[in-house]
Amino acid sequence: MEKKNLDWSNLSFAYMPTDYRFVTNFKDGKWDEGELTKDDKVVISECAGVLQYSQSCFEGMKAYTTEDGRIVTFRPDLNAERFENSCRRLEMPVYPKEKFVEAVLKTIKANEAYVPPYGSGATLYIRPYMFGSGPVIGVKPADEYQFRILTTPVGPYFKGGMKGIKIRVSDYDRAAPRGTGHIKAGLNYAMSLYPIVKAHEDGFNENMYLDAATRTKVEETGGANFLFVTKDGTVVTPKSNTILPSVTRRSLMYVAEHILGLKTEEREVYFTEVKDFAECGVCGTAAVISPVASVTSKDGVIEFPYGKDEMGPTIKKLYDTLTGIQMGRIDPPEGWIYEIK
């Protein structure tokens, strides 16, 4: 299929409607067959569960054009599993994993003209999401739901590219202990909007959130997980029950240990340790991994030996290897790449 006539190399990370989206509805205890539609409008009751009690969750993934011209997506089965967990935690009906993956592949196929060409630096972002569509006025789960998948071509999440971003320690909490930090619920991101706007106003790219219970341990940013590299080259990622289990972070840790042969640790990371790391990065679907130049707290500024003007050596290896797998330059572990046919 011929690609759309877009300025692929200059796309921002912003919504652009594509031709098709997938829609299915849950009613009377079951999902309908679902369909692809050109209608990008959502029509729901004014008393819908999502509007009254924020009953919604979502996922994020990407499709790529590989070096040899194939269109692929990356580990959608893991997104499907995480989506199931989000639905269960929010008392929403589970959309089965197999149907989730099938619908993702179908939606990408329908919009393959919007998958950016290889080498453009752009990708097709895929957003599956579900919300309570049935009316509810008492505090309880809705009876009806809608599951949708939209796609949009996007450029880099952080405009600086390989240049390190500036982060500050937030005065606010991202997630409560035993709350919903481990799922991809819309309400988690609503809580982070005020702090991120304030961070941008003060000249920072992102916030570092500490654990809400003790405010001594590193958790994540508003939309990405942390990776640290020690001076001896060990790759460390924070462990917590309130951190979202990022598919990208899990993949990078696998790459570090099993492909690059690095030592890895998933453990509690105290903020007092941050100053001792050689490298820091934030990772997620949108950014893959971006280097962090500095972290600012009330006690001062921590500047990492690497990251200000370019990626540190370990984070660059991780980035190059994972993007190499996604773009077809490196053979992937079994089951990581789904080709759109």
Side-chain angles (χ1 to χ4, degrees), residues 147-165:
F147 171 64
R148 301 175 69 98
I149 303 173
L150 66 83
T151 61
T152 184
V154 297
Y157 189 72
F158 293 113
K159 295 180 181 179
M162 299 299 103
K163 197 170 183 179
I165 62 172

Side-chain angles (χ1 to χ4, degrees), residues 149-305:
I149 303 173
L150 66 83
T151 61
T152 184
V154 297
Y157 189 72
F158 293 113
K159 295 180 181 179
M162 299 299 103
K163 197 170 183 179
I165 62 172
K166 295 169 59 180
I167 288 179
R168 75 170 174 192
V169 176
S170 179
D171 291 331
Y172 298 88
D173 295 326
R174 177 191 157 270
R178 297 173 295 281
T180 57
H182 63 294
I183 65 169
K184 207 165 176 66
L187 57 91
N188 293 344
Y189 294 80
M191 291 172 62
S192 73
L193 294 179
Y194 180 83
I196 193 61
V197 169
K198 294 302 178 187
H200 289 166
E201 288 176 353
D202 293 339
F204 297 94
N205 301 97
E206 257 291 2
N207 287 299
M208 171 184 281
Y209 289 100
L210 304 180
D211 71 295
T214 70
R215 293 195 58 80
T216 60
K217 290 173 280 190
V218 177
E219 295 233 311
E220 61 176 290
T221 72
N225 284 186
F226 279 104
L227 286 181
F228 299 100
V229 182
T230 65
K231 290 182 173 66
D232 66 359
T234 301
V235 181
V236 180
T237 190
K239 182 177 183 179
S240 166
N241 291 331
T242 52
I243 291 177
L244 183 73
S246 162
V247 173
T248 303
R249 188 258 300 165
R250 291 156 68 184
S251 302
L252 286 166
M253 293 297 283
Y254 181 95
V255 164
E257 181 177 0
H258 298 284
I259 297 179
L260 298 179
L262 302 173
K263 183 181 177 183
T264 62
E265 295 177 351
E266 183 179 357
R267 60 171 176 80
E268 292 182 336
V269 175
Y270 286 85
F271 182 70
T272 53
E273 297 179 67
V274 172
K275 67 182 185 305
D276 299 322
F277 289 115
E279 300 176 52
C280 175
V282 292
C283 61
T285 298
V288 183
I289 184 167
S290 293
V292 175
S294 64
V295 176
T296 299
S297 72
K298 291 179 179 178
D299 296 325
V301 180
I302 298 169
E303 294 186 337
F304 297 100

Side-chain angles (χ1 to χ4, degrees), residues 55-215:
Q55 203 178 12
S56 69
C57 60
F58 68 98
E59 278 297 321
M61 57 193 79
K62 289 180 175 180
Y64 319 82
T65 301
T66 63
E67 191 172 25
D68 60 2
R70 295 174 297 127
I71 295 176
V72 302
T73 191
F74 184 71
R75 309 190 78 177
D77 54 317
L78 294 190
N79 293 93
E81 290 174 4
R82 190 170 65 180
F83 195 73
E84 287 184 348
N85 292 334
S86 296
C87 290
R88 290 191 181 98
R89 179 62 177 82
L90 296 174
E91 284 296 330
M92 301 168 74
V94 167
Y95 195 67
K97 175 180 174 179
E98 296 75 15
K99 285 185 172 292
F100 179 103
V101 173
E102 179 185 333
V104 165
L105 301 183
K106 184 186 296 185
T107 309
I108 297 170
K109 177 67 176 176
N111 294 293
E112 61 182 340
Y114 288 92
V115 180
Y118 175 80
S120 64
T123 54
L124 184 73
Y125 188 79
I126 305 144
R127 170 57 58 84
Y129 59 108
M130 188 191 298
F131 54 87
S133 56
V136 53
I137 198 67
V139 181
K140 63 178 183 178
D143 294 322
E144 298 175 7
Y145 296 84
Q146 189 168 107
F147 171 64
R148 301 175 69 98
I149 303 173
L150 66 83
T151 61
T152 184
V154 297
Y157 189 72
F158 293 113
K159 295 180 181 179
M162 299 299 103
K163 197 170 183 179
I165 62 172
K166 295 169 59 180
I167 288 179
R168 75 170 174 192
V169 176
S170 179
D171 291 331
Y172 298 88
D173 295 326
R174 177 191 157 270
R178 297 173 295 281
T180 57
H182 63 294
I183 65 169
K184 207 165 176 66
L187 57 91
N188 293 344
Y189 294 80
M191 291 172 62
S192 73
L193 294 179
Y194 180 83
I196 193 61
V197 169
K198 294 302 178 187
H200 289 166
E201 288 176 353
D202 293 339
F204 297 94
N205 301 97
E206 257 291 2
N207 287 299
M208 171 184 281
Y209 289 100
L210 304 180
D211 71 295
T214 70
R215 293 195 58 80

